[in-house]
Amino acid sequence: MNRLRTAAAALATALVTTFAVAALPAPASAAEVLVNGGFESGALSPWSCTGNLGSVVSTPVRTGTKALQGAASASDNSKCTQTVSVVSGTQYTLSAWVRGSYVYLGVNGGASTWTPNATNWTQLTLTFTAASSSIQVYLHGWYGTGTYFADDVSLQGQGGTNPTVPGTPGTPAAGSITNTSVALSWGASSGTVTGYRVYEGSTVRATVTGTSATVSGLAACSTHTYSVAAYNSVGESPRSGTVTVTTTGCGTGVPGTPGNVTVGGATNTSLNVGWSASSGTVTGYRVYEGSTVRATVTGTSATITGLATCSSHTYTVRAYNSAGESPASAAASGTTTGCTTGTLPKHLLTGYWQNFVNGATPLRLSSVPTTYDIVAVAFADAVSGTPGAVTFNVDSGLSSALGGYTNAQFRTDVATLKSRNQKVILSVGGELGSVSVSSSTAATNFANSLYTLITDYGFNGVDIDLENGLNATYMEQALRNLRSRVGSGLIITMAPQTIDMQSTGAGYFSLALNIRDILTIVHTQFYNSGSMLGCDQQFAYSQATVNFLTALACIQLQSALRPDQIALGLPATTQAAGGGYVSPSVVNNALNCLAAGTNCGSFVPPARWPTIRGAMTWSINWDASNGYNFANTVHNHLVSMP
């Protein structure tokens, strides 16, 4: 979690030279040479950013509705470049409006300029004489100094021979069609063409350099509609006309793929699976969980029995006949009833309370509104000299800001929140946290010290927010030790960064799966992330969009975690994080999309998870600075969810 401390970060000195150029007359044909300098297309192209750390955002912007965000990290300065054609020996003026610490503008191998601290939009400008017919302009931040923004980037001078967007390709025609594939060909586009993308709706099914492609992996007797777009470094052409084709296998061969699979009718020990009938000749249907057949029926529904209470299951369906078995349907998931949630609501809102001062509104714990169901106190501190051990005291700076706030008053406030049916947990870690649990001794120290703090202050549980490394083996040992002493009422939450929940083999994801029998909620931080692949593995979705929230949450929801263990973590305001802020209404849309398949973006999840737990925000203090807009909007929506 980003504390946004006011202390300055130490930086290595960057050697940057700004080249002064003798005054030359501007060419008579001076014009804008860059493409998409205002990022108003909503996409980066033709800009390219290192590490996939660049994205187009809607706030903050200087003009228009879009700007560039570069999420510089400790190992990547998020360098965004565009290559353009120019006229050698001609003078050019390069400028950009920027915000952030240590933002650089320049030409590779040539002139550059920078600003060390642009808290507001600041214009960087330089002039140079082109030494060749092609140059690469760039913007970048600096290692470990956080996110930068840029808008209205301009290169004024005489244009070279830049390509334009290609012309529209010819309407594709179908060639060879099989049970599982379709061959397509089309007329070439005019202009400069790098390649072609074959679309089915908004999904790219093939990318080729020629004027033909074969789309494979299709279901027998299934209908598909395709169009084609050409692309180059400038962008993508308009889509071609469409062609609709149906794969073979209708009436003969294996049946078509079952559709519209749903999982419902949950009891403590059973789930009902339903689906739409397959095309072709059907003898029956097999319901699979992974590679195991759970039911074989002749109709279009089946009840799976003998399941464990409060357990999650994912099913696919295949039709079969004497010729064989159809491809598997899309997967659908469900959870049996009987989950123990104590006094926690079915859908809830978690917020972090800051035990430090950083520009957000300082608050006594008792000032936290009841719209927050769980309050995570940020943060416990490491005990020097005792690996794994943590302690907690009211921060002296916060105490001073509140006119004197003591540990005794804090204990009373914990009791006050608990009397309102709110839960108070102690968060361990944060962006600047140094707690490390990497041995059995450290695990024991962690459990012992937390048990003491829970007993002393009355905390209901613990939140794991270790952003600087986590050992899943020893953290599991520590948490199981703690739960054995506190009991089944212990709340255990986690706040991994988005990258930590991309793969089940990652430490955080592994820990969540290993302790899912005692885990309460995972509040993934869907911000400060850049662009990332979702569960469809089709696109790198940009943060600060409903697609990003739903496609990345889908990764966790398709794992062995229960939907009631998954929540969406977002910043309360634009100041609360370096990037990834969305309007609270977008959070509500994402929850609706995941729970019911409504209010989605272009990404529509392959299943519905109506028991998804809710949302988290960093932080309550930043929300207070904005009139509690996040809590009021999201909590009211959570209460209304079935």
Side-chain angles (χ1 to χ4, degrees), residues 154-177:
S154 173
L155 179 63
Q156 291 288 319
Q158 182 177 350
T161 56
N162 280 334
T164 59
V165 171
T168 306
T171 299
S176 175
I177 302 174

Side-chain angles (χ1 to χ4, degrees), residues 576-599:
Y581 171 79
V582 297
S583 165
S585 63
V586 175
V587 181
N588 292 346
N589 288 343
L591 291 168
N592 286 343
C593 180
L594 295 168
T598 59
N599 300 116

Side-chain angles (χ1 to χ4, degrees), residues 71-348:
S73 68
S75 59
D76 194 315
N77 63 6
S78 186
K79 185 176 183 179
C80 298
T81 60
Q82 182 178 148
T83 300
V84 295
S85 295
V86 292
V87 177
S88 181
T90 301
Q91 179 181 300
Y92 292 85
T93 299
L94 175 64
S95 64
W97 289 85
V98 301
R99 287 177 62 169
S101 298
Y102 293 85
V103 189
Y104 299 77
L105 173 71
V107 179
N108 273 348
S112 64
T113 186
W114 65 297
T115 177
N117 189 22
T119 56
N120 295 307
W121 287 108
T122 301
Q123 188 176 37
L124 297 177
T125 302
L126 59 89
T127 58
F128 64 95
T129 299
S132 65
S133 61
S134 177
I135 62 167
Q136 188 175 71
V137 302
Y138 66 79
L139 287 147
H140 67 73
W142 197 247
Y143 304 96
T145 61
T147 300
Y148 70 90
F149 301 91
D151 201 356
D152 300 323
V153 188
S154 173
L155 179 63
Q156 291 288 319
Q158 182 177 350
T161 56
N162 280 334
T164 59
V165 171
T168 306
T171 299
S176 175
I177 302 174
T178 71
N179 280 16
T180 59
S181 66
V182 174
L184 302 171
S185 61
W186 55 89
S189 295
S190 59
T192 301
V193 176
T194 301
Y196 297 90
R197 299 183 180 110
V198 178
Y199 283 89
E200 183 171 6
S202 61
T203 302
V204 176
R205 296 303 187 192
T207 301
V208 296
T209 55
T211 56
S212 64
T214 297
V215 182
S216 57
L218 306 177
C221 194
S222 58
T223 300
H224 306 269
T225 299
Y226 299 106
S227 61
V228 180
Y231 68 93
N232 60 20
S233 61
V234 177
E236 189 176 80
S237 76
R239 301 274 184 91
S240 70
T242 61
V243 61
T244 299
V245 294
T246 300
T247 55
T248 57
C250 299
T252 61
V254 300
T257 305
N260 303 317
V261 179
T262 60
V263 180
T267 71
N268 280 11
T269 59
S270 67
L271 291 167
N272 181 265
V273 184
W275 56 90
S276 299
S278 295
S279 57
T281 301
V282 177
T283 301
Y285 298 90
R286 299 183 180 110
V287 180
Y288 284 85
E289 185 170 8
S291 60
T292 302
V293 176
R294 295 301 187 191
T296 301
V297 296
T298 56
T300 55
S301 66
T303 299
I304 315 299
T305 60
L307 305 177
T309 297
C310 192
S311 57
S312 293
H313 303 269
T314 299
Y315 300 106
T316 57
V317 181
R318 295 174 183 261
Y320 68 92
N321 60 19
S322 58
E325 195 174 65
S326 75
S329 69
S333 301
T335 302
T336 55
T337 57
C339 298
T340 301
T341 59
T343 58
L344 291 173
K346 179 179 179 180
H347 303 292
L348 57 79

Side-chain angles (χ1 to χ4, degrees), residues 384-401:
S384 178
T386 308
V390 296
T391 187
F392 177 81
N393 290 286
V394 173
D395 179 74
S396 59
L398 177 64
S399 176
S400 176

Side-chain angles (χ1 to χ4, degrees), residues 366-382:
S366 58
S367 298
V368 174
T370 55
T371 43
Y372 286 98
D373 302 292
I374 298 178
V375 178
V377 172
F379 295 96
D381 295 311

